Amino acid sequence: MSRHILGATLYIPATRPNIETTLHDEELGLRSAVICLEDSVGETDIERAQAAFGQFLCDHQPAGECRVYARPRDIAMLAWMLRQPGIEKIAGFVLPKITATNIGQWLELLLNSEHAIMPTIEGEEAFDLSALQTMRAQLLPFVRRVDAIRIGGNDILNILGARRSKNRTAYDGPLGQVIRDFAATFIPAGFSVSSPVFEHFARFDILEEEIERDLEHGVMTKTAIHPDQVRQIHALYRPRADEVAEARAILASDALAVFGSNGSMCEPATHRSWAATIMSRAQAFGIETHENVTPIRVA
């Protein structure tokens, strides 16, 4: 599966009503969503969330391009989920709080399952390059089943007693090096990496700048916590027409070894992967127009 298909991954608490309506909202255009029974559900609501999740499995009818994942609270809850009728309707699981120590237990439970997985690294090991490399080695046998490696940005900042700034991108704070380390560790090994959520959903300008930085780092999918962010993220994933033209020229069978385009050097030997990514984005999200991007209106 293309890493670009996921787009903006919307997290939805399992206790929220009308989940099915959100998933099939054509105007929203979801490509991926997570039914969450972890951080978005309080301790006193766990039983209600499990009951709601069971009902969701009964009612859910997979349709369209939206891949639906479930996020269990812990390994025991994943085991419970795997036993539920209708669990085959779920594309996969978001595995929370993955560490080099517990990852084997999560993966062992999924050995006899065909579900995709999205491990979330959100503890102190996010700052430890050696630990990231260890987890990469543990995940490599499952690389075809890993739809993305997710960065638990808020949990990582919580370790520092910090919170995302409203006025700067993640790359301008403590998460900057974390994202770079994740990208450098996992993307060359064939994994996709998901950018952390930007919870200040009224700051469209900062979200736009952050996604530009994501794309520079090869990070092609992003967690969303507000439906309006989905539309905005997808609009920002649309490449410009000039980028598409350059990508087509680079991928052409008769392309020169080196040629100029719009004042830039194009070299198919080194730019082919970028060009393939541009074409994949264009196919999934369309091509940028001035009407594509609309800021959130806050009452």
Side-chain angles (χ1 to χ4, degrees):
M1 187 190 71
S2 169
R3 72 176 69 174
H4 314 295
I5 292 298
L6 294 179
T9 303
L10 182 65
Y11 274 65
I12 307 173
T15 52
R16 179 174 295 174
N18 303 319
I19 292 176
E20 197 76 5
T21 301
T22 301
L23 296 179
H24 299 299
D25 184 340
E26 291 185 7
E27 184 179 348
L28 185 58
L30 274 178
R31 291 183 173 273
S32 58
V34 178
I35 311 304
C36 181
L37 286 85
E38 199 216 4
D39 288 347
S40 64
V41 173
E43 290 286 346
T44 59
D45 283 333
I46 294 175
E47 288 188 10
R48 184 165 71 93
Q50 288 183 285
F53 180 70
Q55 187 62 51
F56 169 78
L57 291 177
C58 291
D59 298 340
H60 180 53
Q61 295 298 324
E65 297 180 328
C66 183
R67 288 174 67 83
V68 179
Y69 303 81
R71 180 163 72 163
R73 208 170 187 85
D74 49 34
I75 294 174
M77 186 177 282
L78 174 59
W80 171 83
M81 285 180 170
L82 288 167
R83 296 193 300 267
Q84 300 310 299
I87 197 63
E88 69 280 356
K89 299 178 184 179
I90 297 294
F93 299 99
V94 173
L95 310 181
K97 297 176 173 58
I98 292 299
T99 68
T101 301
N102 70 24
I103 192 170
Q105 296 172 275
W106 287 99
L107 297 176
E108 183 178 5
L109 196 56
L110 291 160
L111 282 176
N112 296 320
S113 163
E114 296 183 358
H115 288 95
I117 56 175
M118 291 201 284
T120 306
I121 301 172
E122 47 196 332
E124 293 180 11
E125 287 176 312
F127 301 108
D128 185 342
L129 189 56
S130 176
L132 295 180
Q133 293 168 343
T134 296
M135 286 186 276
R136 177 187 63 192
Q138 292 170 304
L139 286 166
L140 270 175
F142 296 82
V143 64
R144 293 183 180 277
R145 291 178 59 183
V146 177
D147 282 355
I149 305 293
R150 308 198 75 86
I151 303 174
N154 284 345
D155 283 272
I156 292 168
L157 287 175
N158 190 46
I159 295 169
L160 304 176
R163 185 182 180 184
R164 288 285 305 270
S165 168
K166 292 183 179 182
N167 303 310
R168 293 185 298 278
T169 73
Y171 293 89
D172 301 309
L175 287 178
Q177 190 58 50
V178 170
I179 300 172
R180 294 183 186 95
D181 285 346
F182 272 62
T185 300
F186 290 103
I187 293 176
F191 297 95
S192 175
V193 171
S194 175
S195 177
V197 68
F198 181 60
E199 71 259 38
H200 307 299
F201 52 82
R203 291 302 307 268
F204 170 71
D205 54 336
I206 302 299
L207 176 63
E208 180 175 10
E209 182 183 351
E210 184 163 300
I211 288 176
E212 289 179 3
R213 303 282 289 276
D214 286 342
L215 295 174
E216 287 178 358
H217 287 78
V219 176
M220 303 293 178
T221 181
K222 190 171 185 66
T223 300
I225 47 103
H226 191 289
D228 281 342
Q229 285 186 327
V230 174
R231 300 181 184 91
Q232 294 167 353
I233 292 168
H234 287 180
L236 293 165
Y237 280 168
R238 296 180 179 120
R240 301 188 310 273
D242 62 299
E243 291 178 311
V244 173
E246 284 189 0
R248 285 179 175 147
I250 288 167
L251 295 172
S253 58
D254 59 349
L256 298 174
V258 179
F259 61 93
S261 175
N262 296 316
S264 299
M265 180 193 78
C266 294
E267 186 178 42
T270 58
H271 295 153
R272 188 173 300 277
S273 179
W274 170 86
T277 296
I278 290 293
M279 298 309 297
S280 181
R281 284 169 53 197
Q283 183 176 11
F285 303 106
I287 299 173
E288 178 187 319
T289 68
H290 292 300
E291 291 77 27
N292 286 153
V293 182
T294 305
I296 293 175
R297 292 184 294 274
V298 180

